[in-house]
Amino acid sequence: DAGITQSPRHKVTETGTPVTLRCHQTENHRYMYWYRQDPGHGLRLIHYSYGVKDTDKGEVSDGYSVSRSKTEDFLLTLESATSSQTSVYFCAIRPRANTGELFFGEGSRLTVL
Amino acid sequence: AQSVSQHNHHVILSEAASLELGCNYSYGGTVNLFWYVQYPGQHLQLLLKYFSGDPLVKGIKGFEAEFIKSKFSFNLRKPSVQWSDTAEYFCAVNEAGNQFYFGTGTSLTVIP
């Protein structure tokens, strides 16, 4: 158990509404990531964070914003959800920089109607 | 950006058959390499990883992978698969930095 909690685990929303997904970790690791998983695309990085208020964009960041005001929480926000953002979202942490692997949360399934 | 290719999209094997899943990456510098497994309805879990040293890496559940630098490859192998190995397998590459790049995955179905 990597001590990662994602919420909500499932959400259905309508196009145009804002959505925030939360990733919470219990061990104060510096590096946190948001990925989306889609059939045929594998996992694609949305944003990642390397400390409080330190974030950077990944390969599919358009339409998403993130915030990290506390070490333990990394929030992913869809300001105005679109159907193309229907996906499974995974949060990950990297306990050891440079040589460590990622540990993943359970995922949040988002459906945008 | 790094590109990771998994050539086998869907593999079907009978129990006890041998498995080899291909993974190739594009970056020519120093990389860290990983194989993850995702069982149905679950999150990704690490199978094995390579950072340096012996290019033949052994992981959990009898899996192993071989890093061949000249071929930019990190193929996953298992000599005898079981029904419980049915899952999706992802290869991932980390350059000297914080970003990880994943392949599109290979779905493995093992028939009892």
Side-chain angles (χ1 to χ4, degrees):
Chain A
D1 182 6
I4 307 169
T5 305
Q6 291 187 229
S7 59
R9 296 289 312 281
H10 300 272
K11 186 172 181 67
V12 179
T13 191
E14 294 186 348
T15 298
T17 59
V19 176
T20 295
L21 305 180
R22 179 181 182 236
C23 178
H24 177 79
Q25 58 149 327
T26 58
E27 299 186 5
N28 293 322
H29 295 300
R30 184 177 168 194
Y31 295 95
M32 299 183 76
Y33 302 74
W34 276 108
Y35 283 88
R36 60 177 289 175
Q37 183 180 23
D38 304 286
H41 292 277
L43 277 83
R44 293 178 291 174
L45 180 65
I46 305 171
H47 284 277
Y48 68 100
S49 170
Y50 44 95
V52 173
K53 298 185 179 178
D54 291 325
T55 65
D56 207 348
K57 296 180 179 180
E59 57 186 311
V60 291
S61 59
D62 286 349
Y64 301 95
S65 62
V66 289
S67 66
R68 193 160 178 209
S69 58
K70 300 184 291 184
T71 301
E72 58 266 35
D73 288 326
F74 192 31
L75 304 181
L76 177 70
T77 297
L78 292 65
E79 299 290 349
S80 178
T82 67
S83 59
S84 64
Q85 293 175 311
T86 292
S87 186
V88 180
Y89 292 85
F90 286 98
C91 175
I93 61 173
R94 192 183 195 191
R96 289 182 296 136
N98 299 322
T99 60
E101 64 267 32
L102 297 179
F103 291 86
F104 286 87
E106 299 287 332
S108 295
R109 182 174 295 274
L110 175 66
T111 302
V112 184
L113 302 175
Chain B
Q2 181 67 256
S3 172
V4 182
S5 298
Q6 291 183 242
H7 313 294
N8 316 101
H9 298 293
H10 195 103
V11 173
I12 302 174
L13 295 172
S14 297
E15 273 193 320
S18 64
L19 170 72
E20 180 160 2
L21 301 182
C23 174
N24 289 89
Y25 61 94
S26 61
Y27 181 67
T30 301
V31 292
N32 301 318
L33 300 160
F34 308 83
W35 275 98
Y36 282 85
V37 61
Q38 185 178 33
Y39 298 105
Q42 296 189 22
H43 63 289
L44 277 76
Q45 303 169 46
L46 184 71
L47 268 181
L48 47 78
K49 61 185 177 183
Y50 171 82
F51 290 105
S52 63
D54 189 342
L56 185 61
V57 179
K58 295 192 183 299
I60 62 171
K61 304 186 180 186
F63 286 91
E64 65 179 30
E66 185 175 12
F67 170 50
I68 302 179
K69 188 174 182 179
S70 61
K71 295 185 178 180
F72 301 102
S73 71
F74 190 55
N75 291 355
L76 181 71
R77 300 194 293 247
K78 185 171 184 178
S80 176
V81 294
Q82 301 173 306
W83 176 78
S84 58
D85 293 325
T86 293
E88 192 149 16
Y89 293 81
F90 293 93
C91 179
V93 176
N94 166 236
E95 301 169 3
N98 297 312
Q99 293 208 26
F100 285 68
Y101 299 91
F102 285 80
T104 54
T106 297
S107 176
L108 173 65
T109 301
V110 180
I111 301 170

